[in-house]
Amino acid sequence: MQDFFRLTSVEEARKALLSAWSPGPLPVEKVPLHKALGRMLGVSITSPENVPPYARSTIDGYAVVSKDTFGASESMPAMLTVLEEIPMGAMPSNKIDQGQTSGIPTGGALPGGADACVMVENTSALDENTILVFSPVSPGENVVRQGEDVRCGELLLQAGHVLRPCDIGALAALGITSVPVLVKVKIAVISTGDEIIDPSETPLPGQIRDINTYSLSSAAESTDAQALALGISEDTYSSLKNLVEKGLEQADIVVVSGGSSVGTRDVAVQVISDLGPPGVLVHGIAIKPGKPVILGLCRGKPVFGLPGHPVSALLAFDLFVRFAVESIYEASHVRPISEDAWVQARISRSMASFPGRKVIVEVQLRHDQGQVWADPVLGRSGLISTLVRSDGQVTIPADSEGIMQGSQVWVKVSRGHRVLSSFRRILTVEGNKP
């Protein structure tokens, strides 16, 4: 047999894999909304309607024509005639003209003619049909306009976006109960070794519990893939060949741990070679630990032989299996990030703080002439679209007076969130943030 155990750099090994393998885009499936958390959208979603569908009050009080309140004060209140008390969950019965008002609860529908709401604390009942208003309001004050949260026809979520709790809420608000998502990459995991036993068993002398099935399956799940644990293979050609063939039938990628080093009982090289062509592409990587890694291609699917040592296996997984998963995602026009990360950027506008309070600002990231900018996503606290539109968060410390436009900031990108691949070059993982 050809001597494949020739040390290859990580970069060369990855190139060898991509030279032999052309991953295609993932198919799309529909899942119920309550099962869509953490899944990647298969297509972009455009809002089919306005949210809210009608103008609503953000406070308990009175719907008014703002012009009627101009100049109102404790010494000279505005006097308005009360038409009705608008019930929650029902539309108003009356349109408001100048000099009139209607009582309205938080979230209540704004009656026609009204353009603002007065807080009940700034009013007093003169009699059962008349109130006094002691404070002026401007047009739009204490009101969420129709479509202010999400506008009909607006692009809400792009294909490849990983659905977060706020996204699930936004889709529910739009009446979307099933979501088109990318089918998960499937990774078959096989451990090898006559000495390996299930973790539930008590090892006899010379036996060890199976670690790699669990650690590598978890590593697979961390890439947003679905792990298929196929069990433990004996150190025989037929046992391993049967499990690898099963993996090729059920999964997109097959991972074998153990059996990749040079030895009379290590059969992974022979199995992968025989299940080609091309079979083994690379055997032996210039890394420590993790030298005896196999990269192969069988029946059009990547097959990886990883060291049996758990640390080496996980290191090799991150270098090669994760790379293969990301290559599939790239073919589907998405790029995953599986850990909390930070992006250094400049804030695009000055942001005030509140003394003694930590302020968290939602931001979008963008490139502009070689500089990464963080654009604050502004909106009322009740608007879920501010979270949907954001890529991450900037925190203003409690002892700060604010952030000046152009200042350097660190943007925290949430776990599992996807940002454009161009930002990956400047990501810093949680533990290494300056």
Side-chain angles (χ1 to χ4, degrees), residues 154-359:
E154 174 186 350
L155 176 62
L156 181 65
L157 296 167
Q158 290 187 328
H161 179 81
V162 173
L163 293 168
R164 301 164 291 172
C166 59
D167 304 322
I168 300 297
L171 294 173
L174 294 169
I176 297 174
T177 57
S178 63
V179 189
V181 297
L182 294 178
V183 172
K184 287 196 172 190
V185 177
K186 294 181 177 63
I187 301 178
V189 178
I190 303 167
S191 289
T192 69
D194 293 335
E195 76 281 14
I196 305 298
I197 63 170
D198 189 85
S200 63
E201 301 178 29
T202 300
L204 298 174
Q207 294 181 327
I208 57 172
R209 291 189 175 97
D210 180 15
I211 296 173
N212 288 345
T213 291
Y214 294 86
S215 61
L216 294 176
S217 294
S218 297
E221 298 282 350
S222 77
T223 68
D224 290 322
Q226 178 183 351
L228 304 177
L230 300 187
I232 302 170
S233 168
E234 298 173 355
D235 279 326
T236 64
Y237 177 89
S238 59
S239 177
L240 182 57
K241 184 172 182 286
N242 288 338
L243 283 181
V244 172
E245 286 184 317
K246 184 178 179 181
L248 291 171
E249 291 173 0
Q250 298 182 5
D252 305 296
I253 297 171
V254 179
V255 175
V256 179
S257 68
S260 63
S261 61
V262 177
T264 57
R265 304 186 65 189
D266 296 318
V267 295
V269 169
Q270 186 65 56
V271 168
I272 295 172
S273 295
D274 291 350
L275 289 176
V280 174
L281 300 170
V282 176
H283 188 191
I285 306 296
I287 55 174
K288 183 180 180 180
K291 176 181 174 182
V293 172
I294 304 168
L295 276 69
L297 192 67
C298 304
R299 302 175 187 175
K301 298 179 179 181
V303 179
F304 297 93
L306 307 185
H309 192 288
V311 174
S312 301
L314 283 173
L315 173 62
F317 184 99
D318 280 338
L319 289 174
F320 298 109
V321 184
R322 189 180 297 274
F323 172 78
V325 174
E326 292 185 351
S327 297
I328 295 175
Y329 286 137
E330 286 180 342
S332 304
H333 308 292
V334 296
R335 182 79 180 188
I337 298 174
S338 57
E339 69 269 20
D340 287 338
W342 299 81
V343 174
Q344 193 171 33
R346 291 188 182 276
I347 197 78
S348 64
R349 61 176 292 171
S350 298
M351 299 297 298
S353 180
F354 293 88
R357 294 174 59 184
K358 181 185 293 185
V359 178

